[in-house]
Amino acid sequence: MSQNDVEMIKRIYASFNARDIDAVLAVLSDDVVWANGMDGGHVHGRQAVRDYWTRQWAVISPHVEPVAFEETPDGAIAVEVIQSVFDLDGRPLEGQAHGLKDKTVTHIFRMQGDKIVRFDIRDAH
């Protein structure tokens, strides 16, 4: 894993937390496959990622903080993140029906060149 990839992924998290969607979309491939943490499955393509986040941010305020990076045996980048989810007034969520909650998870980024082509989420072990 290159230091450039790690720095780019750190910028993605900072942009996501600042709700700068265009900065994140700029480093995604046109046909990116992106995990849908709210509903399960994946969304496909930049516009679908934009739509997913726009819908997500209309109901909750998530914050993700990367704490560890490692390269997987198949060359992807695994990032352990602390995920915190708040309501739109900044209060912790309670009794929500969607799959997002405060927890530590692992985000898996697959790169081709300087673009992210796939993003997956798995529970941290």
Side-chain angles (χ1 to χ4, degrees):
M1 122 183 98
S2 78
Q3 191 59 36
N4 286 342
D5 288 346
V6 170
E7 292 304 317
M8 186 253 297
I9 291 171
K10 286 180 179 178
R11 285 191 304 274
I12 287 171
Y13 286 112
S15 296
F16 175 87
N17 290 333
R19 305 299 181 253
D20 183 355
I21 195 169
D22 291 322
V24 180
L25 294 177
V27 297
L28 305 185
S29 69
D30 291 338
D31 58 350
V32 67
V33 176
W34 195 269
N36 180 331
M38 281 182 64
D39 306 314
H42 291 81
V43 297
H44 302 268
R46 283 186 189 155
Q47 186 59 46
V49 173
R50 178 187 296 278
D51 294 345
Y52 163 61
W53 282 342
T54 300
R55 185 173 57 85
Q56 183 183 99
W57 295 338
V59 294
I60 58 168
S61 181
H63 180 89
V64 285
E65 195 64 41
V67 294
F69 294 79
E70 72 175 326
E71 187 167 351
T72 66
D74 65 354
I77 300 172
V79 184
E80 183 179 332
V81 301
I82 298 171
Q83 169 183 289
S84 303
V85 185
F86 305 93
D87 68 17
L88 297 179
D89 294 320
R91 294 184 302 253
L93 290 182
E94 295 179 12
Q96 299 296 313
H98 52 69
L100 296 175
K101 61 183 178 180
D102 290 0
K103 61 183 175 179
T104 300
V105 297
T106 301
H107 289 168
I108 309 294
F109 292 90
R110 299 194 185 285
M111 314 285 291
Q112 281 184 352
D114 62 349
K115 298 289 185 187
I116 295 167
V117 296
R118 184 176 179 98
F119 168 79
D120 293 291
I121 303 169
R122 72 170 188 239
D123 284 331
H125 302 298

